[in-house]
Amino acid sequence: MGNAGEKYVYDFSEGHKGLKELLGGKGANLAEMTRMGLPVPAGFTVTTRACQAYLATGDNPAGLAEEIDSHLAALESAMGRRLGDASDPLLVSVRSGAAFSMPGMMETVLNVGLNDESVAGLAAQAGGNERFAWDSYRRLIQMFGKTVCDVPGEEFSNALEEAKTARGATDDLHLDAADLQALVDRFKRIFAKNTGHDFPQDPKEQLRLAMEAVFRSWNAERAVLYRRQERIPADLGTAVNVVAMVFGNLGPDSGTGVAFTRDPASGAQGIYGDYLQNAQGEDVVAGIRNTIPLDELRTLDRRSYDELLTIMAKLEGHYRDLCDIEFTIERGKLWMLQTRVGKRTAGAAFRIAAQLVGEGMISLDEALRRVSGAQLAQLMFPRFDLAADPVALTKGIGASPGAAVGKVVFSAPRAVELAAAGEQVILVRRETNPEDLAGMIAAQGILTARGGKTSHAAVVARGMGRTCVCGADQLEIAADRFTVAGRTVNEGDVISIDGTTGCVYLDAVPVRPSEVVQYFEGTLSSAEAEVPLVDAVHKIMSHADATRDLAVRTNADTADDAARARRFGAEGIGLCRTEHMFLGDRRELVERLILAATPGERSDALAALLPLQRADFVDLFRAMDGLPVTVRLIDPPLHEFLPSLEELAVNVAVARERGEDHAEDAELLDAVRRMHEQNPMLGLRGVRLGLVIPGLFAMQVRAITEAAVQLAGEGLDPHPEIMVPLVGAVQELEMVRQECEQIVAEVVADSGVNVLIGTMIEVPRAALTAGQIAEAADFFSFGTNDLTQMGWGFSRDDVEGAFFWRYLELGIFGISPFESIDREGVGRLIRIAAEEGRAVRPELKLGVCGEHGGDPESVHFFHEVGLDYVSCSPFRVPVARLEAGRAAITGEDSDSR
Ligand code: ADP
Ligand code: MG
Ligand code: MG
């Protein structure tokens, strides 16, 4: 870390936007604007490598001080002023800037170089503007105190308020030079009291201390937490920018502003921004005075306004994207202080990308690169209708998306109780723990006062698709009410929580269905010009479909789900679970099957099930006509279809007590006791059932094949694929296959129906012996849920709520392996199985079923491994299509953004 002779300081004229990692985003873009010939104040950037060295050793690397001195000297001679010179001081800002923008990092210190002497020089140079000089000095002490020396910020802001009150002034503009000079004295005392030493008068010492504080702020608690959450590497470090000051607080012909080249909220074209006259730095976003819309700058200062617009157009053309901008006007002269490719909402991301394609600025590939499946997923959730102007209560972290409305409850039992009575509830807790699980299941949504995206509440809510907002600001929770910003909400009051934005509202906010879902459903046409978002999604999705190699199927058990998924673009069913075909009014038949004492009784029960199941498959194949449908033979242990042990035991005891007939229940109870398993997940299930219970798989295979033959007879085009679950050894599959093939051959006869027989790969041993198993399989489908459970040796239901939050906190994994595929471990098993399977049987079809099939990160992995398709729940199908498209784009990102 840090090499002898390494260059640690770059003048703005030396860098460019490709050097973000070294110079940070802010520094790289300041350099880029300098290269473009835009009016950027002179300055230089101390690299992230210097920060890394400082953090590793606690000291600046050798040579850094000298390098800074020589760059400072060059800056001084370019500006014709010396840092902190008593009669004509050069002042600088010291600004942090990492490769990723990050909350919690140290804020900027402006006006470095001012002291008791140079403040007079500054006033003289500003034409005797004493007020300006003292205002700048008090800002320096305030910012320096707060951010470099940890002086509590309120002490300064309270003193400022008092000064205003004493003057009867409503805002800081009404304080005159004498007031501000007095305030400087007061600030210096506050500084000394808190730090134990005087405010440093040596300009170079100010500069060094500010720079080192920026370095250290990389490890500030909030920054560390943020990085962990966003999975930003901890060792990147931040750069430090030293920039010659320009002054927006020199009078009414000066000011400061922010601007966007398009609306970052909606993506609409146009210029958006705010401007504040006679102000410096953060004033414009701090809300200390009312800003004016950027438009009005045109009447205030036409020349600067026109120049700004020209520059913004130039920046958009250069970055080929929405840019956000900070600028300052000093006595009618415009200065650019920052630009970056601006953050935007999910909707704006799609609209802007499509617009830029329309304007010929970017390719469709690039547009696809600039949107994400996560953004698309956001757009598919129903949203609150903010036109209803709801009362905002607080804001937290949007931890699991959705729009939930319900009555506030403060305990899990209460949530369960109200939900059982048919109420919709929102569970509000300081934080959740495993004991809250039942309440979380019963609730529409979960709101917590503590924790972030990896807290227990967040992990569990995402796992079960519940809306969740975590770590809500200023939320004080008592037993039967919470308060927030002076407002009290009692148990039973209705609130609305937005798991995407993190906003919490009072009362029931009306929910608006998603336009994007309406479009996928076919009820909203992309041609409707008044819905530019839908049009944009349509364009980009079409390109994704044209680009991707992975097919996208759906997991669907019913014809309804299949039809919906098909509208969402599913190209078949990757997983149809047949469990539900054994439930409802069929339970009795299943009981008969399980209790059958003789082969005759057993085959009677199976024969009764056959037509029912065949009818289910007919509906399903019809809905997916022309597309493949993978049907998984029964997987769960059979006792799951019997009543619970406790229930039966009670029934039998009660009946016996009353002297009633209980023979049937007693028989069932015996069976349940017999079939009880310590670890049902690892027990008699999947292919093992097929081998142990004669005729069970055969019945299912017959139902599937007969359904297909029937439809073929109607002129339809069914493509059934029979999938055997839980295979661990080729022998298991071979035996089942033999039985299946006989039935299939017999039923198919000359109907022309083709039935594939394949297996799930979900037991680690299957993955490791895939070369053998491929001999007996037409296809593999990776059951990534079980493969993850068995690969890690934990069951999802047991562990996700129990300790995952702790594992996430400890960094054992960055994201739950059930949310996103564990590339190194479980992913390795998939890779091995894919390679060894294809080596034996090159035409082997490879797919994934399990929720990972709809997870963006995982889709990229499955593309890399070369699978043929992913399969996911109907709602995730568009997300998978988009991400499969993104995964397939080749070539470099044409822009180093
Ligand atoms: P952030 O990362 O929080 O945006 P910045 O480093 O951009 O922090 O600075 C905070 C504010 O100070 C911004 O409004 C910026 O435009 C302003 N500022 C920074 N450097 C200068 C400078 N040299 N002259 C005038 N204003 C500056
Ligand atoms: Mg800024
Ligand atoms: Mg499984």
Side-chain angles (χ1 to χ4, degrees), residues 376 379-380 514-521 524 533-534 537:
L376 183 63
L379 294 174
M380 289 178 66
S514 148
E515 287 168 345
V516 172
V517 168
Q518 289 174 301
Y519 154 65
F520 288 129
E521 288 283 11
L524 194 66
L533 172 62
V534 164
V537 169

Side-chain angles (χ1 to χ4, degrees), residues 25 69 182 201 250 391 480 549 613 633 635 657 761 767 829 832 837:
D69 279 347
Q201 293 288 314
L250 268 171
V391 181
D480 59 352
D549 304 322
Q613 299 221 341
L633 300 180
D635 183 45
E657 190 84 351
I761 301 288
L829 289 170
I832 291 170

Side-chain angles (χ1 to χ4, degrees), residues 26 95 108 258 282 324 326 337-338 340:
K26 201 179 282 170
R95 317 169 65 183
T108 289
V258 295
E282 304 281 63
D324 79 23
E326 291 174 3
L337 292 174
Q338 188 173 335
R340 67 187 157 196

Side-chain angles (χ1 to χ4, degrees), residues 632 635 685 760 762 786:
R632 180 176 73 183
D635 183 45
R685 53 174 288 221
M760 294 195 72
E762 55 186 340
D786 265 311

